[in-house]
């Protein structure tokens, strides 16, 4: 059975991500990771047949995208910047600390956020491991704003009574989930399983189809 | 003073935590709990020291809960720092630690557990230029950090605002009033939690018991709590309030009577022969490792001087849900996907 290592930032916990993927991708041995560094080390040392993550994550690992997830005809998805202070702008927030899930490692994350927010300089980043860790950053005044995929915004806001202002810079798009083959050889079983994945898996990955 | 030392009766916060966590298999706070035997923190095949890189020394007891923290620190710092561990054992003395640090010459020290702080503090106080240090997995960090020059710290108690906003969302219940019982001497702790909870529009109803509460005094306060029209009860990690005697004679009878979700800070109270809590949130040791690594980089950037907020709250938590109790309270099963560990068993 081909091995698929997955690192998917989600509202769900890594345990549930692993269960959803295992149920939705029959014939594939799924291992879900909750931290970029663990995923990165495992992909490098164990060379699984498939690696499933954001396209930017695969790029940092030096794994080419073999199959790209798309939704609404787009291979990228919009992100949103949620700020506690309604008077702050993207530029003023960038001079402070912005919370984001670490999907590319400590060194690369400020560069990703710079691109995402269309900034001239990399901002200060307050990195977290999970989407659910973003809310404590706001509660505990560790960051005045956080950024996350727009599809999580409604669920995120439901979890809090904080009044958050959403900012949507035109540049705020990040590549959707993608599949790479760390061995260098495409694995047809994994690719076909993803193409036929049920709605629960596509929803988890923020995709509708694969190309 | 009595409140300071009486809160955790075990010498080590970590041993207490290990004890509480191990108790999960056999019931809440079983008496005679013995924390796990020592667990080595060194790598099985350590890489040679890279002399061009600064060294970070971790001073920590060899306890199971420390392993993920040290492993995470090692991997997060690997590209820019070497890491050495000095194991804190029962027989380790201040001079042993001093000699080891003099030999290693680290750029900074990570102090894990109150026991490590107790050993390192005299050295830092005696030094003209004390090494920067980061205190983690310790209780009473505010007071502890203030006693160690050139230090930063991460608290080891999940803030109520993190816990209660999460449990409100998972149980899909409106929580606008939550109760907490605290011991005399912990007023400032309760005030801080109350202020944070207001951000989430949750009112904290805090009732005080004496510093050394009896079954009768705690029972009286819990009966008052029953009349407070609460939506949830939040229990802080106070070993005196959670003693075996008070658990059996007050908390468990209260839990059996009440229809409220009970939110605790140790998983052992969510599972066992008599599950008591509905939900537990504890600082995630992997997340603590990442947060500690980020503080090391911050220290390096500031010329190895401890600057900025001296004590940070923990950001990442590991959550535990008793699904039997949660479903009795009407929690939608789909929300269980947002919990790390699912446990079963009714009260």
């Amino acid at each position: 059975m081909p091995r698929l290592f997955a690192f998917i930032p989600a509202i769900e916990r890594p345990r549930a991500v692993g269960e959803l993927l295992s149920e939705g991708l029959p014939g594939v041995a799924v291992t879900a990771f909750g931290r970029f560094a663990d995923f990165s080390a495992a992909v490098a040392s164990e060379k699984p047949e498939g690696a499933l993550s954001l396209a930017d994550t695969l790029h940092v690992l030096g794994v080419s995208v073999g199959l790209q997830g798309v939704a609404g005809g787009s291979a990228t998805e919009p992100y949103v910047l949620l700020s506690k202070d309604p008077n702050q702008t993207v530029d003023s927030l960038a001079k402070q600390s912005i919370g984001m899930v670490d999907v590319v490692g400590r060194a690369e994350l400020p560069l990703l956020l710079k691109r995402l927010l269309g900034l001239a300089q990399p901002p200060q980043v307050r990195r977290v491991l999970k989407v659910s860790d973003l809310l404590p950053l706001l509660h505990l005044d560790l960051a005045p704003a956080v950024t996350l995929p727009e599809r999580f915004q409604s669920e995120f806001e439901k979890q809090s009574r904080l009044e958050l202002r959403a900012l949507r810079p035109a540049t705020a798009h990040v590549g959707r989930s993608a599949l790479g083959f760390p061995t260098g050889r495409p694995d047809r079983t994994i690719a076909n399983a993803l193409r036929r994945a049920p709605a629960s898996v596509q929803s988890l990955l923020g995709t509708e189809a694969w190309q | 003073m009595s409140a300071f030392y009486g809160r955790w009766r075990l010498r080590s916060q970590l041993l207490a935590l290990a004890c509480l966590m191990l108790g999960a298999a056999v019931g809440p706070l079983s008496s005679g709990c013995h924390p796990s035997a020592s667990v080595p923190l060194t790598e099985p095949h350590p890489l040679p020291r890279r002399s061009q890189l600064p060294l970070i020394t971790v001073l920590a007891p060899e306890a199971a809960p420390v392993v993920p923290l040290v492993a995470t620190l090692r991997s997060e710092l690997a590209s820019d720092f070497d890491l050495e561990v000095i194991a804190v054992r029962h027989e380790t003395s201040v001079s042993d630690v001093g000699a080891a640090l003099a030999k290693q010459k680290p750029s900074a020290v990570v102090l894990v557990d109150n026991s490590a702080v107790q050993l390192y503090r005299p050295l830092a106080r005696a030094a003209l230029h004390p090494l920067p240090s980061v205190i983690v997995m310790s209780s009473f960090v505010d007071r502890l950090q203030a006693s160690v020059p050139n230090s930063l710290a991460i608290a080891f108690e999940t803030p109520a605002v993190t816990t209660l906003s999460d449990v409100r969302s998972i149980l899909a219940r409106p929580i606008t009033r939550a109760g907490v019982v605290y011991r005399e001497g912990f007023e400032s702790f309760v005030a801080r939690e109350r202020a944070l909870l207001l951000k989430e529009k949750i009112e904290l109803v805090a009732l005080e018991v004496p510093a050394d509460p009896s079954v009768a005094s705690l029972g009286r306060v819990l009966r008052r709590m029953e009349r407070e029209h609460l939506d949830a009860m939040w229990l802080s990690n106070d070993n005196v309030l959670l003693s075996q005697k008070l658990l059996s004679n007050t908390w468990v009878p209260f839990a059996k009577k009440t229809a409220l979700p009970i939110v605790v800070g140790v998983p052992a109270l969510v599972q066992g022969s008599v599950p008591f809590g509905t939900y537990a949130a504890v600082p995630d040791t992997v997340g603590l490792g990442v947060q500690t690594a980020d503080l090391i980089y911050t220290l390096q950037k500031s010329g190895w001087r401890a600057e900025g907020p001296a004590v940070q709250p923990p950001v990442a938590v590991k959550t535990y849900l008793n699904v039997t109790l949660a479903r009795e309270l009407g929690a939608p099963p789909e929300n269980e996907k947002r919990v790390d560990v699912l446990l079963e068993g009714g009260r």
Side-chain angles (χ1 to χ4, degrees):
Chain A
M1 196 184 287
R3 295 164 302 152
L4 176 66
F5 287 4
F7 170 59
I8 304 293
I11 295 279
E12 294 83 355
R13 295 293 171 123
R15 168 193 64 78
V17 169
E19 286 170 9
L20 279 167
L21 291 175
S22 294
E23 284 165 19
L25 303 174
V28 177
V30 176
T31 305
F33 292 82
R35 184 169 73 112
F36 168 79
D38 294 334
F39 177 65
S40 164
V43 167
S45 64
E46 297 181 40
K47 292 265 185 280
E49 285 71 27
L52 180 65
S53 196
L54 300 184
D56 279 290
T57 307
L58 295 181
H59 177 72
V60 168
L61 301 187
V63 176
S64 306
V65 170
L67 206 58
Q68 175 63 58
V70 292
S74 174
T76 65
E77 71 172 319
Y79 271 54
V80 65
L81 184 64
L82 298 176
S83 165
K84 279 196 297 185
D85 184 344
N87 300 315
Q88 296 269 13
T89 62
V90 173
D91 284 333
S92 64
L93 288 166
K95 290 180 186 136
Q96 304 166 61
S97 194
I98 294 174
M100 186 176 184
V101 176
D102 183 1
V103 289
V104 287
R106 199 190 66 83
E108 293 291 326
L109 198 60
L111 301 174
L112 175 63
L113 197 51
K114 170 180 173 272
R115 194 184 80 208
L116 197 152
L117 299 179
L119 302 167
Q121 297 295 326
Q124 285 277 2
V125 185
R126 186 78 202 210
R127 65 187 176 129
V128 295
L129 296 179
K130 310 181 286 284
V131 175
S132 58
D133 296 339
L134 291 170
L135 191 54
L137 291 185
L138 299 175
H139 284 148
L140 306 170
D141 294 327
L142 295 171
V146 298
T147 187
L148 72 168
E150 197 177 62
R151 66 192 158 99
F152 297 155
Q153 184 188 347
S154 151
E155 193 59 43
F156 187 82
E157 288 179 339
K158 261 195 240 167
Q159 292 175 26
S160 175
R161 301 293 180 272
L162 292 176
E163 285 175 19
L164 301 172
R165 180 184 174 213
L167 297 164
R168 293 180 174 78
T171 49
H173 283 74
V174 172
R176 292 184 188 275
S177 298
L179 173 67
F181 304 106
T183 58
R185 292 184 302 280
D187 187 284
R188 224 181 263 178
T189 309
I190 297 175
N192 287 338
L194 262 181
R195 284 196 184 99
R196 294 181 198 130
S200 58
V201 169
Q202 303 287 14
S203 166
L204 173 76
L205 301 176
T207 56
E208 291 168 354
W210 292 80
Q211 58 190 31
Chain B
M1 202 67 170
S2 62
F4 183 79
Y5 289 106
R7 194 165 182 220
W8 284 103
R9 281 177 172 163
L10 290 170
R11 175 173 169 260
S12 156
Q13 158 90 348
L14 273 175
L15 295 184
L17 178 72
C19 202
L20 288 164
M21 286 183 164
L22 289 171
V26 290
L29 291 173
S30 59
S31 56
C33 170
H34 299 287
S36 58
S38 70
V39 180
L41 300 172
T42 48
E43 286 182 296
H45 307 291
L47 296 170
R49 172 91 173 91
R50 297 166 293 179
S51 57
Q52 75 282 12
L53 295 184
L55 176 72
I56 304 301
T57 293
V58 179
L59 192 57
E62 293 181 308
V66 183
V67 175
L69 175 92
V70 173
T72 305
L73 256 181
R74 194 171 267 131
S75 76
E76 291 287 337
L77 297 175
S79 57
D80 301 300
F81 299 93
D82 275 348
L83 191 136
E84 294 271 4
V85 177
I86 301 174
V88 172
R89 302 193 178 102
H90 192 68
E91 65 276 14
T92 306
S93 67
V94 173
S95 57
D96 292 338
V97 173
L101 290 175
K103 193 175 166 197
Q104 292 181 357
K105 297 188 173 36
S107 295
V109 186
V110 176
L111 305 169
V112 185
D113 189 46
N114 297 56
S115 55
V117 179
Q118 282 164 20
L119 287 169
Y120 175 73
R121 179 169 41 205
L123 299 169
R125 284 181 159 183
L128 195 58
H129 300 290
L131 287 168
S133 58
V134 180
I135 300 167
V136 284
M137 295 180 88
S138 302
S139 50
F140 307 106
V141 281
D142 288 321
R143 278 175 266 193
L144 212 56
Q145 182 279 328
S147 73
V148 181
N150 204 20
S151 67
L152 298 172
I154 303 169
F156 198 43
E157 181 138 28
T158 309
V161 66
T162 304
T163 309
L164 286 168
S165 57
D166 194 38
V167 84
R168 175 173 63 190
S169 158
I170 288 162
L171 299 181
R173 283 169 73 99
I175 295 180
T176 55
R177 272 170 74 81
V180 66
V181 178
Y182 70 97
R183 287 189 297 131
E184 187 188 347
F186 288 92
E187 294 79 6
S188 60
F189 166 74
V190 168
R192 200 167 48 216
E193 297 292 337
R194 177 180 279 137
L196 284 170
L197 279 166
L198 284 178
K199 295 181 182 185
E200 280 295 343
K201 302 190 173 28
I202 297 172
E203 183 190 351
L204 189 63
V205 178
L207 299 183
E208 185 182 286
V209 291
D212 189 13
S214 63
V215 168
S217 61
L218 179 59
R220 272 194 301 276
V221 161
L222 288 178
R223 280 192 292 281
R224 270 179 65 199
M225 276 292 181
E226 288 169 1
R227 299 190 294 273
E228 287 287 348
H229 306 288
L230 302 173
D231 303 309
M233 272 297 287
W234 171 61
L235 269 74
S236 68
N237 284 347
D238 183 338
N239 264 20
V240 174
L241 274 179
L242 295 174
S243 70
Q244 183 70 46
K245 190 175 165 192
L246 292 179
L247 262 178
S248 313
N249 294 304
T250 55
W251 287 113
V252 171
F254 171 80
K256 282 183 174 171
K257 252 193 313 185
T258 187
L260 295 175
I262 298 179
V263 176
V264 296
V266 279
L269 298 177
V270 177
Q271 193 188 35
S273 54
V274 185
F276 165 73
T278 315
Y279 167 97
V282 296
D284 175 9
T285 45
V286 172
L288 278 177
V290 171
Q291 208 173 339
T292 306
D294 284 346
L295 282 181
I296 295 290
Y297 280 104
T298 305
L299 281 169
Q300 186 187 37
K301 208 171 161 183
S302 62
W304 300 111
R305 281 189 305 274
E307 294 171 348
V311 179
Q312 292 189 356
V315 174
V317 294
K318 189 166 183 179
T319 54
Y320 299 76
L321 183 73
N322 182 310
V323 289
T324 314
L325 299 177
R327 287 181 187 183
E328 281 172 14
L329 291 167
E334 64 268 23
N335 288 359
E336 291 163 13
K337 291 175 195 156
R338 301 209 303 260
V339 180
D340 288 304
V341 182
L342 302 178
L343 305 166
E344 290 184 347
R347 281 177 191 148

